Amino acid sequence: MGKILGNRWIFILILVGGGWFGYSLLYKPFFGANVQTAAGDQVEFYIPTGYDYRMVGNKLLEEKLIRDPKSFHWLAEQMNYPNHVYPGRYILENGMSTRDLITLLRSGKREPITFTFVKFRTKEDLAAYVGEQFEMSAKDLLEVLNDAEFLRKHNGLTPELALMAFIPNTYEMHWHIKPKDFFERMFKEYKRFWNETRDAQRRKLNLNRREIMTVASIVEEETNKNDEKSTIAGVYLNRVRKGWPLEADPTVKYAVGDFTLRRILNKHLEVQSPYNTYQVAGIPPGPICTPSIASIDAVLKGERHKYMFFCAKADGSGYHAFSETLAQHLAYAREFHDMLNRQGIK
C-alpha cells in the first residue's frame, strides 16, 4: 500500500476505473485538502518536545487544523512518521493535503522565531520573557543563569554578571531550543559584538568589558535620547578619570529595588549596597540592566568635554542640561525640582 500511495498515476487509473467512488475512497483522503485554517492564511503549529505522532495528530485536531484525523493517523504510519517526529515550529498552509502535511512534519523543516528584546533589569525579568517566547520555562533558563560552573566557562562570567552575555537586538532561533543552547547562542552573539574595533576603543579608555557595559547600563537608564547618550557617557567617564563618585540616580533605584521612583530622596541615598554610587566610589560590580548597542557604543565613543554634572531639563523634553561647575548644576537642579514640586511628584 505504501508504494501505491507514492505513485499518483495509480490513483489516476483508479479514478478512471472507479470514478467518484475511487476518488472519495482513496485519492481525496490523502491528496485532497485536509488542512484548514480559520482565516485561510498560513498558521503556526508547534510540536512540543516528547510528542509522538498520535499526540501531534490530536493537537492538530484540537486546534481545528485538519478535517480528517483518520487519514492523518493512517498515512502517518505508512510514511513512517512515528519514527520521525521532530519538535519545533512549523508553518502550515491552508488547503494542504494529508500527504503534504506529513511530508513537511517528518522532514523536520522547522521555522525559527524572531526573538527581539531591548532591556531587562534582572535575570528573572529576562527569563520570564524568554519563557513566553520559547518552549523552555523561565525556571529552566534561570537555572542556567545561576549555574556558576557553567558560566565560568564563558569568559569567567558569574551569576551576578550573566546578563552581560545578552546584547539587545533581533535574533532568529528555533522555538524548541534548550536553555543552555540558548545561552550559548547569546554568548556567541556577545563575542561577535565585541569585535576588534570595539575592544580597541575599550582599551583606549583603560576599562574592561564589564566596566564599559556597567557604565552603558547607567547611560541606558538615564536617557532614551540616543543623540545625548555620548554626552552623558562623557560625564561619567570624566568622573571615573578624576576618581569622583559616579552619583548616578539609576544605581540608587537598582540598589533600592524600585525602578518606578520619580524622585530620589535622602533616605534612598543612604541605602547600603555596592550598587549605590552615592555611597560607594568607582564603577559598580556589574550592569544594572542590559544596555542597548547605542548605549554601549556611546560609552566607547564617549564625548570629550569638561562637563562633570548633568540634570534633567525642567521643560519636560526628556533631555538634560550639562554643567562644568557645581554652582551651575545646582541652579539647573533647582529648576527641575521646582517643576517636580509643581506637578506634585514626591
Side-chain angles (χ1 to χ4, degrees):
M1 182 59 72
K3 293 182 179 179
I4 293 177
L5 291 173
N7 194 330
R8 292 196 182 198
W9 290 106
I10 299 297
F11 280 92
I12 292 174
L13 293 176
I14 291 175
L15 289 177
V16 172
W20 179 254
F21 175 78
Y23 171 76
S24 300
L25 183 64
L26 296 172
Y27 187 91
K28 185 178 179 181
F30 307 123
F31 294 108
N34 191 14
V35 174
Q36 58 182 359
T37 63
D41 300 323
Q42 292 181 334
V43 295
E44 300 174 316
F45 180 65
Y46 295 87
I47 299 178
T49 300
Y51 263 42
D52 60 27
Y53 85 101
R54 290 190 178 278
M55 296 168 75
V56 172
N58 292 338
K59 192 170 189 285
L60 286 165
L61 186 61
E62 289 169 3
E63 296 183 13
K64 299 180 180 180
L65 291 175
I66 55 174
R67 298 185 180 92
D68 183 4
K70 291 183 179 179
S71 68
F72 173 85
H73 288 294
W74 189 88
L75 190 56
E77 292 185 352
Q78 304 308 308
M79 296 178 66
N80 198 28
Y81 180 50
N83 293 319
H84 297 279
V85 179
Y86 304 108
R89 171 180 179 264
Y90 295 83
I91 301 298
L92 307 188
E93 301 280 352
N94 185 54
M96 291 179 76
S97 68
T98 302
R99 183 177 184 277
D100 289 341
L101 171 61
I102 295 173
T103 297
L104 170 65
L105 298 181
R106 78 189 295 274
S107 72
K109 187 180 179 183
R110 295 157 287 196
E111 299 293 335
I113 66 172
T114 300
F115 173 62
T116 301
F117 73 95
V118 180
K119 179 173 70 176
F120 295 104
R121 295 187 176 102
T122 67
K123 291 179 292 184
E124 289 74 18
D125 289 342
L126 183 145
Y129 180 77
V130 171
E132 293 174 354
Q133 308 295 314
F134 295 89
E135 183 183 25
M136 74 182 85
S137 69
K139 177 178 178 292
D140 289 341
L141 180 57
L142 271 177
E143 287 180 359
V144 172
L145 299 180
N146 288 318
D147 187 337
E149 184 177 351
F150 173 76
L151 293 173
R152 188 163 49 247
K153 300 173 184 176
H154 299 78
N155 284 15
L157 287 178
T158 65
E160 293 73 27
L161 297 176
L163 284 184
M164 275 184 55
F166 295 84
I167 304 295
N169 211 333
T170 297
Y171 305 96
E172 281 194 348
M173 281 181 271
H174 285 291
W175 172 75
H176 60 287
I177 191 170
K178 301 301 180 185
K180 284 190 175 181
D181 293 333
F182 175 79
F183 184 87
E184 294 286 3
R185 168 63 191 282
M186 297 309 300
F187 188 70
K188 180 179 179 181
E189 298 294 341
Y190 166 84
K191 291 193 296 184
R192 181 179 291 122
F193 173 81
W194 280 105
N195 53 34
E196 181 53 40
T197 298
R198 286 192 173 96
D199 260 333
Q201 293 170 333
R202 173 188 64 76
R203 286 190 291 269
K204 285 184 179 179
L205 295 173
N206 197 31
L207 298 175
N208 59 37
R209 293 179 182 179
R210 175 190 63 79
E211 292 169 326
I212 291 291
M213 295 189 72
T214 300
V215 175
S217 71
I218 297 172
V219 172
E220 181 74 23
E221 289 287 339
E222 289 283 13
T223 183
N224 58 9
K225 307 293 186 182
N226 285 340
D227 56 345
E228 72 168 4
K229 284 183 176 180
S230 181
T231 310
I232 291 176
V235 173
Y236 284 126
L237 292 174
N238 283 344
R239 287 180 165 240
V240 170
R241 293 186 190 102
K242 293 193 174 186
W244 286 26
L246 295 187
E247 295 188 349
D249 288 356
T251 67
V252 177
K253 294 180 182 181
Y254 187 86
V256 172
D258 185 353
F259 303 104
T260 65
L261 289 176
R262 295 284 304 277
R263 195 165 190 167
I264 303 298
L265 305 176
N266 286 334
K267 65 178 181 179
H268 301 133
L269 301 181
E270 295 171 359
V271 171
Q272 298 299 309
S273 167
Y275 288 90
N276 184 349
T277 55
Y278 281 83
Q279 294 284 343
V280 182
I283 297 173
I288 60 174
C289 71
T290 51
S292 65
I293 292 175
S295 292
I296 298 172
D297 284 341
V299 176
L300 292 172
K301 303 173 184 176
E303 185 179 317
R304 285 282 186 172
H305 53 56
K306 296 182 179 179
Y307 299 133
M308 298 299 294
F309 308 91
F310 67 93
C311 175
K313 287 186 175 181
D315 60 6
S317 65
Y319 282 94
H320 294 78
F322 297 87
S323 312
E324 293 183 23
T325 67
L326 179 59
Q328 188 179 26
H329 170 66
L330 291 176
Y332 286 133
R334 278 193 296 272
E335 291 179 7
F336 180 69
H337 289 137
D338 287 344
M339 181 271 291
L340 293 179
N341 291 332
R342 288 194 300 272
Q343 295 184 3
I345 297 175
K346 298 181 180 180

